[in-house]
Amino acid sequence: MIRNKYFQVIAQYIVILIIPIFLITLNARIVINSSSLYHYGFEKYSITDITRISHQDLMSVSESIRDYFNNAEEFLYVSTVVNNIKVYSLYNDREIQHMVDVKKLIQSSYLILNISTILLLLMLIFTIFKHRKKIVNTIYPISALIKYGSILTISIILILTTLSFFDFETVFYQFHILSFSNDLWQLDPSRDYLIAMFPTGFFFDTTIIIGAMTLIEAIILLIFSFFIPFFITKYRLS
């Protein structure tokens, strides 16, 4: 009986922790694979003027990058037109090797998303099974987990967003130190097209977009967690 109680408590904490992980990795996957992000970034930071690559060709390159993140190819080889000259390999060896690391990081986030999705579904099934004789009772524990998970998510996003607004350069630097075991990410925009196409501002905007999406979703879930028990109680009393 005591073991069962401890298992339930641990399971509840796991679900609460998984909710922000699920939302952040889900939104990261959506944003990273959105052509609108690249269109917006290339326009905002005048990447055509910097790289001498037309906007249409930039979008074609970004499509190749998105395909690379989702396919089984080890290396990223991209051809395009730079200043009216055909270039058969836009990125140099250092950039290509860095993209190998980036791809591993992104695909790891995909894996984390898949695992968190499965765990959330398993916990939902477990809760429903536990209260199968009176299914309406599942609403209360589920709504509580959603509430605390949403609060945790909102707290994390507000902290990260505040840090990003005050000193994104430091946050971005620390992210690279923690995420990569080499210095291949240290590129020169005057000669490396990868960093010229994707300046720090592009990643700041991406971070804010992912954060905003996650924050909105967490707030909706938080409101949902308060209203559902209220309606259930009202229904049972009527």
Side-chain angles (χ1 to χ4, degrees):
M1 194 71 177
I2 295 176
R3 282 185 182 179
N4 188 39
K5 184 177 180 180
Y6 280 136
F7 171 77
Q8 291 180 36
V9 172
I10 292 171
Q12 288 170 356
Y13 279 115
I14 290 174
V15 172
I16 292 170
L17 289 171
I18 286 175
I19 288 175
I21 294 172
F22 169 77
L23 291 176
I24 292 170
T25 53
L26 173 63
N27 291 322
R29 181 166 189 166
I30 292 170
V31 172
I32 289 169
N33 287 284
S34 171
S35 62
S36 299
L37 170 69
Y38 300 86
H39 174 80
Y40 168 79
F42 295 153
E43 289 282 349
K44 179 177 180 179
Y45 296 102
S46 304
I47 303 302
T48 292
D49 296 334
I50 295 170
T51 61
R52 300 300 175 186
I53 303 173
S54 70
H55 183 78
Q56 182 178 353
D57 286 331
L58 284 171
M59 291 304 297
S60 178
V61 171
S62 73
E63 184 178 359
S64 297
I65 291 173
R66 295 195 301 277
D67 288 342
Y68 173 70
F69 289 152
N70 296 283
N71 62 30
E73 297 295 327
E74 183 178 3
F75 301 110
L76 173 65
Y77 296 109
V78 178
S79 62
T80 190
V81 176
V82 180
N83 201 20
N84 296 319
I85 298 173
K86 181 71 174 181
V87 175
Y88 291 95
S89 183
L90 180 64
Y91 301 129
N92 58 42
D93 290 341
R94 185 180 181 87
E95 294 169 287
I96 291 171
Q97 287 297 327
H98 175 55
M99 288 303 287
V100 172
D101 294 334
V102 173
K103 180 173 183 173
K104 289 177 181 177
L105 184 64
I106 288 176
Q107 293 201 333
S108 294
S109 74
Y110 289 174
L111 178 61
I112 292 170
L113 172 61
N114 293 337
I115 292 172
S116 63
T117 302
I118 291 170
L119 288 175
L120 285 174
L121 288 173
L122 287 175
M123 290 309 301
L124 177 62
I125 293 170
F126 170 78
T127 304
I128 293 173
F129 178 78
K130 181 184 174 185
H131 298 281
R132 62 190 180 279
K133 293 182 180 178
K134 206 168 186 179
I135 199 69
V136 72
N137 289 342
T138 62
I139 297 298
Y140 298 99
I142 291 174
S143 64
L145 294 176
I146 292 174
K147 178 177 70 174
Y148 293 119
S150 300
I151 292 172
L152 177 61
T153 303
I154 292 169
S155 301
I156 292 171
I157 294 301
L158 289 178
I159 291 170
L160 292 177
T161 302
T162 302
L163 290 173
S164 296
F165 270 111
F166 276 100
D167 193 359
F168 183 74
E169 292 280 352
T170 300
V171 173
F172 197 48
Y173 175 80
Q174 290 300 324
F175 168 79
H176 281 80
I177 293 297
L178 293 172
S179 301
F180 304 112
S181 59
N182 52 56
D183 64 351
L184 293 174
W185 55 273
Q186 295 180 341
L187 302 172
D188 184 349
S190 67
R191 65 170 183 266
D192 299 320
Y193 280 102
L194 193 60
I195 192 65
M197 286 178 60
F198 303 104
T200 303
F202 180 93
F203 293 102
F204 172 78
D205 294 341
T206 303
T207 301
I208 296 303
I209 291 169
I210 294 171
M213 290 173 63
T214 306
L215 184 62
I216 291 170
E217 291 162 358
I219 291 172
I220 292 172
L221 285 175
L222 183 60
I223 295 171
F224 174 80
S225 71
F226 280 106
F227 272 90
I228 291 301
F230 170 76
F231 285 119
I232 292 296
T233 303
K234 186 176 180 181
Y235 168 76
R236 291 176 70 180
L237 292 175
S238 61

